[in-house]
């Protein structure tokens, strides 16, 4: 098991690569960047996705999803300052991308999964600049928000 310092450095290296290049590094690249042996970097990839709701492509060591990003196309298309090429893991995760790119415009384009109509959300940091349609809402089938008795919507 990797120590916390290596997990932190590995997480930062993976996230930085995804933000900068729209792709995740292979563990061989991580090994070089983090100055660790190949088997250590390979195991680190699996540990990193194990502590997030991310995953590797089945049967491989290739990062497929590293929240908030998905590394294969999804319906949650993301542009940053007008540059396309990122995809979010889900609609809620898409909203977290703004924290990774301070001061930059993040736009999420996705179809409504009920009717297929376009939904657009645009943010800069904590400012939500566009929600179209204005009535757009989010939905999850998972329980969120801690104990059921403390959730605002039951």
């Amino acid at each position: 098991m990797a120590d916390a310092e290596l997990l932190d450095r590995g997480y930062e290296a993976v996230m930085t690569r995804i933000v900068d290049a729209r792709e995740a590094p292979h563990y061989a690249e991580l090994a070089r960047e983090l100055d660790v042996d190949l088997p250590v970097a390979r195991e680190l990839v699996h540990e990193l996705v194990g502590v997030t709701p991310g995953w590797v492509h089945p049967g491989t060591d290739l990062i497929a999803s590293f929240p908030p990003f998905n590394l294969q196309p999804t319906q949650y298309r993301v542009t940053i300052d007008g540059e396309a090429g990122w995809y979010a893991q889900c609609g809620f995760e898409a909203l977290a991308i703004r924290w990774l790119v301070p001061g930059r415009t993040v736009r999420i384009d996705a179809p409504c999964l009920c009717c297929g109509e376009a939904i657009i959300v645009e943010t800069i940091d904590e400012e939500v600049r566009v929600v179209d349609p204005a009535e757009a809402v989010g939905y999850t089938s998972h329980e969120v928000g801690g104990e059921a008795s403390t959730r605002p919507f039951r």
Side-chain angles (χ1 to χ4, degrees):
M1 173 123 186
D3 62 28
E5 186 265 340
L6 182 56
L7 281 169
D8 285 347
R9 290 192 307 127
Y11 184 92
E12 181 180 7
V14 171
M15 191 61 73
T16 298
R17 175 73 168 273
I18 294 169
V19 170
D20 291 349
R22 301 171 185 93
E23 64 183 21
H26 187 272
Y27 73 82
E29 296 169 299
L30 275 179
R32 185 177 59 249
E33 183 174 342
L34 301 174
D35 195 28
V36 297
D37 293 332
L38 287 172
V40 172
R42 181 178 178 269
E43 181 60 30
L44 179 62
V45 163
H46 291 273
E47 288 185 42
L48 286 169
V49 298
V51 298
T52 72
W55 58 88
V56 295
H57 186 77
T60 75
D61 305 308
L62 303 173
I63 298 171
S65 191
F66 202 74
F69 296 101
N70 209 66
L71 298 165
Q72 61 186 16
T74 68
Q75 67 270 29
Y76 306 104
R77 296 172 309 283
V78 177
T79 59
I80 300 173
D81 283 344
E83 294 182 42
W86 294 271
Y87 299 91
Q89 193 179 61
C90 75
F92 290 116
E93 291 284 353
L95 298 171
I97 293 171
R98 70 184 189 272
W99 297 323
L100 298 169
V101 291
R104 298 173 72 186
T105 301
V106 175
R107 179 180 165 127
I108 303 138
D109 289 272
C112 173
L113 297 181
C114 293
C115 70
E117 294 297 319
I119 298 173
I120 300 167
V121 176
E122 189 173 287
T123 66
I124 295 179
D125 299 321
E126 297 305 303
E127 179 186 354
V128 178
R129 293 198 163 177
V130 174
V131 176
D132 184 27
E135 304 80 23
V137 297
Y139 169 80
T140 181
S141 62
H142 297 284
E143 292 185 5
V144 294
E147 297 295 319
S149 62
T150 65
R151 288 188 203 117
F153 305 103
R154 294 174 187 58

